Amino acid sequence: MMQAPMISVPLKATNEIDWITPLKHYIQNTYGDDPERYAEECATLNRLRQDMRGAGKDSTSGRDLLYKYYAQLELLDLRFPVDEQHIKISFTWFDAFTHKATAQHSLAFEKASIIFNISAVLSCQAANQTRTEESGLKTAYHSFQASAGMFTYINENFLHAPSSDLSRETVKTLINIMLAQAQEVFLEKQIADQKKVGLLAKLSSQASTLYGQAVEGVQENVTKAIFEKVWLMMVQAKFNLTSSMAQYYQALADDDANSHGMAIARLQVAEGFAKEANRIANNFPSSIPPSSNLTADCAYTLGDITKRHLTAVQDKLRELVKDNDYIYHQPVPAEASVAPVAKLPAAKPIPVSELYAGQDIQRVTGPDLFAKIVPLAVTESASLYDEEKAKLIRAETERVEMANGEMAASLDYLKLPNSLQVLKGGFDQEILPDDDFRTWCVDVADHENPANIFETLNSQKQAIITILDKSTKQLDMEESVCEKMRSKYDTEWTQQPSSRLTTTLRGDIRNYREALEEAARSDGQLATKLRANETEFDEMRSAAQHGEIDALFQKAVNKGRKNSSNSPGVEQNLLEADFDDSGPSVVEQIAKVEDILKRLNLIKRERLQVLKDLKEKAHTDDISQILILNKKAIANFEEKLFQAELEKYRPHQNRLVQASHKQAALMRELTVSFNSLLQDKRVRADQSRYESIQRLRGSVISKYKRAYQEFLDLEAGLQSAKGWYQDMRETVESLEKNVETFVSNRRSEGAQLLNQIEQDRAASKSAQAALEQERLRGLMERMSMEPPPSSPQKQLGSRPTPPALSFGSSNNMYPKQNYAGQYQVPQSPPPTTQTHGQQPYAQRTSHSGFNTMSYDPSSLGRISGPASPPPNLTSFNMGRGPASPPANQASFNIGRAPISPPPHQTSFGRPFSTYGNPAAAPVQSPQPHQQQQQQQQPGYVPPGFVPPPPPPGPPPLGPQQTFHQNPDYYAAARRGSAQGEATDPWAGLNAWK
């Protein structure tokens, strides 16, 4: 069976554009976000438009691409204003019929063009379906209606069309064509199903009306050279064909209703429409324009359909005329008096909202590309919605808390469920302590025993006292030794008295002793507190260590019960008591109360669970996408939208209200039942006894609570005392070190002073003896009448007479004293003289530590007294050491000077005998073997020795003098000095003088 040809709309063409750059620029400038985060989304949108340009007009993929691109444009419009002021993109589209180009910067123009192409694709799909098949017929029927719906959306939402194909008149004509063809498709389905002729007549009449409306619009567009003329011929042919079909099927219906005359009149009208339709079909041009989207054989097909219909009408007309002439003889009304056929619409435009609500469409359009970007207006609206949710949650939470509080208060007032446990178990049940009592015992056991802490404190205190006593004894002993030495040596003992130096140390010791006495008084108070509560402490500690806390509590309670007048042996369990009461037993009443309590607990758990579900649902509720989709309507419908969204929480609210009502009813029932139980005479009989036990239990708890508090106070005080004694121990140990250092330094200072006094006394005695011997020797020599014997050996070893002193020279050979008050190092020997292997003389300071002024004998004039040392000495014994050097040397090795001059000279670089006279000639050195013989003779004095005149008193200890000192003293001094430098930071305690 041939199917009637259908009209399909051509697609609009467009040029390529760039979405990426403008969108990135707007994201960066307006939203302040990194545009590279949305590079993929921008590229996807751009690629989607490119693919849309090549979409096929009759392919499903082409339709899906258009659907997807349009959906993204709708979502894009909610976030990005595409116009001349913001995102400026030029959209160029070509007219579907005239092919004229139109360019605008409005996104609305882009969306309208896309919708037009969607409608065109839908019309192409519908026109090209094979309607002889069930699926093809349904697809064609739906697609024509969807196309009409898309065209309707254009007329309702886009004004001031920039092109003729989008004008309201053109679009309205296209809507009528699509709806007429959809009605025709539905009619074909009903004819194929052989429905009643009355229904077919009504459907045909509606199709005829739609085609008649389309003829007017097509005629106008053909006149404007927008549509092709073949469209007008096609619509006119369809109009006449459907009009003929309406009259034909209505005539059959009238014939069935015995209206044979009216049926003949309708067939005559139908014959006229059929002839006109056949004439138009036969006048179709042989070549169909490609822009009309009609098939090449549409003229032949349409002509064949109209011809067959005309034949059917004529055949039926002849049949009815014959039957009426021979049988019915009904009059045939005039054509003008024939009533129009009733209409039955079977096609309507499918709205875009319904079209996009389908799951298939949502799958095709895909997710929102820019879902991560939320406009500021939407964010503000979402915040307002969140506040509405928060108000709802707070209100429901308060309602739940109030209901739970009422239940808890009521149960606490009735002393439930503890009262039931007492009633069920009687009063002989085991009395258990509460959790606080167990916590107290465990805490006492976990702490250190206070008695052990007291032992530690006593040991610390005794150690501190021992250290203080030791320090005091050391200071007293040092002061005693110092004063004894002062009384022995009188003014020679110049060490400063200890009493002035130990004031601070003795004051610290006194303060520490006073602090110890104060601490002892505090310890006594803590000990008193321990003795007052030691029994309770031991009981609690032992019970916790051995796991007998409950037994301790039972023991304390039983001890109180034994002291009471009531004997527990005659108590009887309430459940076993028999009062011969005809009412419900105690057990039954208790069971009833327990059942009510269980139901109350179930209601409470259910209420909490509902509230939890409500909070979770509100937490995950995000209507940002809904707000974005309704962005343009939010200003007017925000409150209504919020109320509609909050309705989703209504079921949870209703469940909470119902739970509150149930709880109130159960609480009333519980109060009545429990009061009845308490009024039972079997229960009231033992009420006073129970109250007595409770009071006893409370007294035990109070006793151990007070003991535990005392323990905490005692423990805090003991820990503080431990810290105090530890700090005091460290302090007195530091004091002990200071005292030991002070005493050690005083001893070292005293030892040096004592050594100095001893040496001064020895030196004084030695010097007086030497002076006396020298005076006697000088007198003896002057009194001698014989010259001294001479020998070659002695002459070689004799010491020449020193030349006269040159007192007039301005260049004194004793250098001036330097910045340290010491003598400068003497000049080196002449180049012809070899120095000894040891180092040259260095600067020297006197043993007493005072700087010695330069000595100039010429400034003293003639000196009274002996002019030379005794014959057995080469110098005066002026030191504090022994009177003579050892046997193997002529003088003491003092400082860093060599022991003796080289073998070829009798003195060092500058002879000692010159005393600063630069004009004196050097003395000839003896022969090496003579020098050796002289050195081997202990105490040897060369003949003719004339020593220089000494100054009055001991000479200064300069570098040219031989200082007679005890070598053992120096060794001891150096050892003491080395030890002091290593261990004694207060060595040389000169600051105390």
Side-chain angles (χ1 to χ4, degrees), residues 26 29-30 40 54 68 115 140 181 193 262 267 292 312 330 332 348 368 402 472 559 811 817 827 842 848 853 857 900:
Y26 187 81
N29 295 336
T30 302
E40 183 178 355
K68 187 172 184 178
I115 293 177
Q181 294 182 142
D193 293 344
M262 181 58 70
L267 287 176
S292 64
Q330 292 184 3
V332 178
K348 64 179 181 178
D368 186 0
M402 183 180 297
T472 303
K559 182 178 179 182
N811 297 328
Q817 118 184 71
Q827 297 177 357
S848 62
M853 300 299 293
S900 62

Side-chain angles (χ1 to χ4, degrees), residues 162 204 217 225 263 281 284 418 490 539 590 626 654 669 774 803 833 850 928:
S204 300
F284 256 72
N418 295 332
D490 198 10
E539 290 176 352
I590 291 177
I626 298 176
N654 293 336
E669 183 180 356
E774 180 65 20
T833 306
F850 297 98

